[in-house]
Amino acid sequence: MIKLVCVGKCKEKALVQLIQEYTKRISGYSKIEIIETEELMAPQSNSAAQNQSVIDQESEHSLKKIKPTDYVILLDLHGQTMTSEKFASKINQVQIYNSSDITFVIGGSLGVSEALRKRADFAWKLSDNTFPHQIVRLLVLEQIYRAFKILRNEPYHK
């Protein structure tokens, strides 16, 4: 089973449709669930302590959605980059050797807590670029779908 734990809801119709399309495609290979947790307000006028409180609360909500047996892949700006082929290999490796659910965690706009970072089994950096969290959700789903296509030697349009 694949789970995405995401802070906040996706509100843009076009993105919602694409996310639903990739979720449907992935469901042909694996059960998939998207879990949305509460996004807290973080105005720019927040102090550093207030921002840390937001990070801690959002991360705690995400941690509550993770089972002890889940293999957790945290989307992180400080994580490791991978080609699509290496990512597919990672998915395959976890499914074969860990035989656990794979849970991807997309934190809030301020980042994630140290506790969530420590819970992660792997930190994955999609790109050196910064993307809105809703677009990251779509990109992760596309890469999961691509990974299944790669693992089964199935064609994928370029």
Side-chain angles (χ1 to χ4, degrees), residues 1-2 10 12 16-17 20 23 25 29 38 50 55 60 76 80 84 86 106 113 124 133 139 142 155:
M1 167 124 174
I2 304 275
C10 189
E12 293 185 39
V16 169
Q17 288 176 330
Q20 289 171 342
T23 301
R25 290 180 187 189
Y29 300 98
E38 182 182 3
Q50 289 170 318
I55 290 168
E60 185 59 34
D76 189 359
Q80 181 180 332
S84 294
K86 284 188 180 179
I106 302 171
S113 69
W124 180 29
H133 288 77
L139 291 172
E142 190 281 334

Side-chain angles (χ1 to χ4, degrees), residues 3-6 33 35-38 59-67 70 103:
K3 292 190 300 187
L4 263 72
V5 176
C6 312
E33 179 182 11
I35 301 165
E36 296 175 329
T37 63
E38 182 182 3
S59 294
E60 185 59 34
H61 292 149
S62 293
L63 282 165
K64 287 179 181 176
K65 302 298 181 185
I66 300 170
K67 292 186 226 166
D70 289 355
T103 299

Side-chain angles (χ1 to χ4, degrees), residues 28-59:
Y29 300 98
S30 172
K31 289 183 182 177
I32 181 158
E33 179 182 11
I34 297 176
I35 301 165
E36 296 175 329
T37 63
E38 182 182 3
E39 182 176 23
L40 302 174
M41 294 299 295
Q44 288 188 354
S45 60
N46 268 4
S47 67
Q50 289 170 318
N51 281 342
Q52 189 60 53
S53 176
V54 167
I55 290 168
D56 291 342
Q57 289 176 62
E58 288 179 343
S59 294

